[in-house]
Amino acid sequence: MEQEEDRIQDLRSKATELFLRKEWKHSIDVYTELISLYHDKISNPHQKNLEKLKKSLCLALCNRAEARLNLQDFAQALKDCNEASRVENTHFKTLVCKGKIWLSLNRYALALECFKEANLDNHELENSEILNLYLDKCKKFEFLSRTGALDVSDWVVNKFEGKSPELAEYIGSIEIKKSEISGRGLFATKNVDCGNLLLVTKAVAIERAIVPESSFEGAKEQAQLDMWKSFIDKIMECIKRCKRTCDLMCRLSNGENEDGLEVLDIDMFRPEAVDSRFCNTKIDDKEKLLNILDVNSLVEELVSTKILGKYNDVHGIGLWLLACFINHSCDPNVRRSHIGDHVMIHATRDIKAGEELTFAYFDVFSPFRDREERAKAWGFVCKCKRCNLEKGVCSNQEMMEMEMFLGKGVDNGGVVYRLEESMRRWMVRGKGKGYLRSSFWQAYTDVYDSERLSRKWGSKIPMMENVLDSVVDAVGSDERIVKLLMRGLKRKNGHKGNGILEMEKAMKLGRGLYGKIMKKQTLKTILIQLGGN
């Protein structure tokens, strides 16, 4: 008996030390042995001090749950908490740990219940302060997950200093349906105004690395390869721990039999989806896993995903389960922004009920042939309205000659003038003009950004405002459009400040770029900053 007690004391001390040093895996192993010994002693009908042993067992289970929570092994952590609750259903530490697990799983209502129950049994001031923080956080997240009223204004105003804002997952008025573009897609279930938030979702896993633009090509490739390997390892850990994640990943496209894919109920992706909806599927074939990741992973390299052009040297790759259903189009209607491990999707133009959501997998301001090559590298052919129009137009010799002048240091006013005259002869109307102007965006930017070229070409080319309107109508809001507009307004108005009507127009474009939820004063500050860049 003494040897057994000494063994328990030794394990308890060792487990506590490992736990405090945050050596989670090792502490779990020791707690597991300790818990087994406690079970043996409690099952002994002649055992004395039964209540004390049960309290010790409860604490050991709770600490193991906490260690598993830190390793994001949520399923096993919940099992430990449930077992601890059966031993003592009002155990304060267990209730707090269980609340943190539910919070990590975005089950805000369940987390709130746990913290409220823990608060009833709390008698310490220090614990009260911690609990109040968790209670406030749960209430806030539960509200945000219902309304999508997320606001990152303060973070933006503070120039992105400190930790990125904590976001709640949110699924707006969208559903999964068969797509005419490819496989399955996300569709609006009701009319959506420009700037409205549609989706906020956290990555299953994400890997980032700093890859300076000045790096030589070989170094960039090696950095990206290392990043990809680390990303795969993280994904494999996630699917080992969580049957729900593994099951949902198995239902994603692997690039084959797109037409035969099951149309999934979007409720399966909500945090509160019941476990019985998910099978104990496994991805034993690494090649299958790689194919799924190759088709569905998103990169963080696009200009359009980076707020205010920040973090240009930061490259990332991640898997966001719902966002990966959004197909590509060269005339997209939604924009994605990456904040922390979350991706936010909002409308960059008005979207009609039943319309498919699309964003650009690559830069929409690239010429047609460049976009065509990028699409091939991604393994598809873009058949959007813009590409279909440009495919016909860009096959002629005159268009190819204009494309050749881009980026060659020539007077781009001549390129703009020639394109505008060609569109008039070819009778290109409406959105078609916006499509072609977007493809020659660099030429238009060079002209309108230069006082010399603007004076030189004057009335021979369209007014900048008309061109910007057509480009926004064609491809939605983009930071580079807003930046050009604001710089133009600054030159036009000088130190007198921007005109009210002109600023309202800029604000409208800003809503399409950053979303409606950003505070008006914050948005105005951003726009003025863009005008100074």
Side-chain angles (χ1 to χ4, degrees):
M1 288 292 290
E2 280 187 21
Q3 287 181 338
E4 191 177 58
E5 286 298 326
D6 288 344
R7 179 61 180 156
I8 286 175
Q9 186 59 42
D10 183 52
L11 288 172
R12 186 188 295 141
S13 299
K14 187 176 180 181
T16 302
E17 182 184 348
L18 290 168
F19 187 88
L20 292 173
R21 281 162 42 187
K22 298 183 179 181
E23 295 183 25
W24 309 121
K25 288 184 178 179
H26 290 150
S27 72
I28 289 169
D29 292 338
V30 179
Y31 275 123
T32 299
E33 188 176 349
L34 181 61
I35 289 165
S36 179
L37 285 174
Y38 281 141
H39 278 307
D40 290 342
K41 287 179 76 66
I42 290 170
S43 63
N44 184 346
H46 305 293
Q47 180 63 50
K48 298 178 181 180
N49 300 322
L50 201 58
E51 288 305 311
K52 184 179 178 181
L53 276 172
K54 285 183 177 180
K55 284 185 179 295
S56 296
L57 171 62
C58 194
L59 183 61
L61 285 165
C62 182
N63 285 343
R64 188 171 70 175
E66 191 81 33
R68 284 171 164 166
L69 168 60
N70 280 283
L71 293 174
Q72 296 188 316
D73 190 353
F74 304 123
Q76 291 301 316
L78 272 176
K79 282 184 179 180
D80 281 344
C81 283
N82 289 335
E83 185 179 345
S85 294
R86 286 193 292 272
V87 176
E88 185 182 340
N89 63 358
T90 59
H91 188 251
F92 174 82
K93 195 172 180 182
T94 298
L95 289 169
V96 173
C97 183
K98 195 171 184 178
K100 290 193 289 186
I101 296 166
W102 286 129
L103 190 57
S104 298
L105 292 169
N106 304 313
R107 302 289 297 274
Y108 311 121
L110 289 174
L112 192 58
E113 285 179 20
C114 291
F115 292 131
K116 282 181 177 178
E117 194 174 344
N119 204 32
L120 293 174
D121 194 43
N122 172 47
H123 306 292
E124 296 181 27
L125 179 61
E126 184 181 351
N127 289 335
S128 294
E129 291 175 357
I130 294 170
L131 273 176
N132 285 333
L133 288 173
Y134 279 124
L135 286 166
D136 290 344
K137 189 173 183 178
C138 285
K139 290 173 185 176
K140 173 187 171 185
F141 279 13
E142 195 276 329
F143 172 75
L144 294 178
S145 68
R146 282 189 292 103
T147 63
L150 299 156
D151 186 1
V152 296
S153 301
D154 293 339
W155 184 57
V156 174
V157 165
N158 291 327
K159 299 182 179 179
F160 314 96
E161 294 295 329
K163 288 178 64 178
S164 56
E166 293 182 303
L167 304 178
E169 290 209 312
Y170 168 74
I171 299 176
S173 303
I174 55 176
E175 63 181 340
I176 303 170
K177 290 171 60 177
K178 285 284 187 182
S179 168
E180 292 183 2
I181 298 173
S182 176
R184 302 160 296 186
L186 292 187
F187 291 76
T189 58
K190 66 179 186 180
N191 292 341
V192 179
D193 292 336
C194 177
N196 276 5
L197 189 67
L198 289 157
L199 177 67
V200 180
T201 182
K202 188 177 181 180
V204 172
I206 191 167
E207 181 66 21
R208 294 188 178 101
I210 295 175
V211 185
E213 293 299 317
S214 57
S215 300
F216 61 90
E217 205 57 40
K220 283 184 182 179
E221 289 179 6
Q222 186 58 50
Q224 289 169 349
L225 181 62
D226 292 341
M227 193 165 58
W228 176 251
K229 288 178 179 177
S230 180
F231 171 60
I232 292 169
D233 290 341
K234 286 184 177 181
I235 290 288
M236 291 180 74
E237 280 297 314
C238 287
I239 61 179
K240 282 178 187 175
R241 290 194 303 262
C242 182
K243 73 171 185 178
R244 170 194 170 121
T245 300
C246 187
D247 185 55
L248 288 173
M249 278 190 61
C250 285
R251 299 168 190 256
L252 299 179
S253 169
N254 62 3
E256 299 176 3
N257 189 26
E258 293 285 330
D259 293 333
L261 293 172
E262 173 191 7
V263 176
L264 303 175
D265 182 350
I266 202 161
D267 286 342
M268 291 184 69
F269 294 86
R270 298 185 189 278
E272 60 270 20
V274 293
D275 287 343
S276 59
R277 301 192 68 172
F278 304 101
C279 306
N280 285 313
T281 49
K282 293 184 179 179
I283 307 178
D284 296 322
D285 185 354
K286 192 168 183 179
E287 185 176 348
K288 180 183 177 182
L289 173 64
L290 293 176
N291 288 339
I292 290 172
L293 294 179
D294 190 46
V295 172
N296 297 283
S297 300
L298 296 176
V299 295
E300 294 183 318
E301 295 179 349
L302 290 179
V303 173
S304 61
T305 68
K306 298 179 179 181
I307 298 176
L308 281 180
K310 296 285 181 179
Y311 318 120
N312 287 332
D313 287 342
V314 177
H315 295 255
I317 185 167
L319 178 66
W320 291 266
L321 289 175
L322 261 181
C324 69
F325 283 90
I326 302 178
N327 281 308
H328 163 83
S329 175
C330 294
D331 61 341
N333 55 20
V334 299
R335 182 181 191 268
R336 77 181 199 259
S337 302
H338 294 258
I339 298 178
D341 288 351
H342 289 78
V343 67
M344 297 175 65
I345 307 289
H346 71 263
T348 56
R349 64 173 76 159
D350 292 344
I351 300 173
K352 294 179 181 178
E355 186 179 345
E356 181 171 2
L357 311 185
T358 57
F359 57 49
Y361 290 4
F362 36 80
D363 193 359
V364 292
F365 284 161
S366 302
F368 169 71
R369 264 173 276 274
D370 288 353
R371 300 198 318 272
E372 190 176 41
E373 287 302 313
R374 291 294 298 275
K376 284 180 183 177
W378 277 73
F380 68 92
V381 176
C382 184
K383 297 178 181 178
C384 69
K385 291 180 181 178
R386 178 181 174 187
C387 285
N388 286 338
L389 179 141
E390 290 188 70
K391 190 173 184 179
V393 172
C394 293
S395 61
N396 70 53
Q397 186 63 34
E398 191 174 359
M399 181 62 77
M400 285 191 276
E401 289 174 4
M402 281 187 276
E403 285 184 3
M404 287 174 60
F405 286 116
L406 287 175
K408 302 297 183 186
V410 300
D411 182 346
N412 275 317
V415 176
V416 170
Y417 174 76
R418 190 172 175 184
L419 177 62
E420 292 292 333
E421 287 297 302
S422 297
M423 288 193 291
R424 184 180 58 79
R425 289 198 318 274
W426 301 333
M427 298 184 69
V428 175
R429 299 284 185 268
K431 271 194 175 181
K433 283 188 175 183
Y435 291 152
L436 290 173
R437 286 166 174 168
S438 301
S439 293
F440 283 80
W441 172 256
Q442 188 56 55
Y444 284 92
T445 301
D446 289 347
V447 175
Y448 293 129
D449 232 1
S450 166
E451 290 188 37
R452 181 182 65 81
L453 290 178
S454 294
R455 284 197 303 269
K456 177 180 177 180
W457 291 96
S459 59
K460 294 179 183 178
I461 61 175
M463 292 176 60
M464 181 183 76
E465 288 79 3
N466 294 338
V467 169
L468 295 189
D469 285 344
S470 70
V471 171
V472 170
D473 185 51
V475 298
S477 293
D478 187 282
E479 190 172 276
R480 289 162 290 182
I481 298 173
V482 179
K483 187 179 289 189
L484 182 60
L485 173 63
M486 293 304 298
R487 287 202 294 249
L489 293 181
K490 187 177 180 181
R491 286 196 303 271
K492 182 178 178 181
N493 297 300
H495 60 272
K496 297 178 184 178
N498 298 320
I500 294 175
L501 291 177
E502 293 164 324
M503 196 60 194
E504 282 299 317
K505 180 177 181 178
M507 291 287 282
K508 185 178 179 181
L509 286 178
R511 294 292 182 204
L513 181 58
Y514 300 111
K516 280 187 173 181
I517 55 177
M518 191 168 283
K519 293 173 185 173
K520 187 174 182 179
Q521 189 55 47
T522 303
L523 184 56
K524 190 172 183 178
T525 300
I526 293 173
L527 296 176
I528 292 170
Q529 287 177 6
L530 286 174
N533 290 341

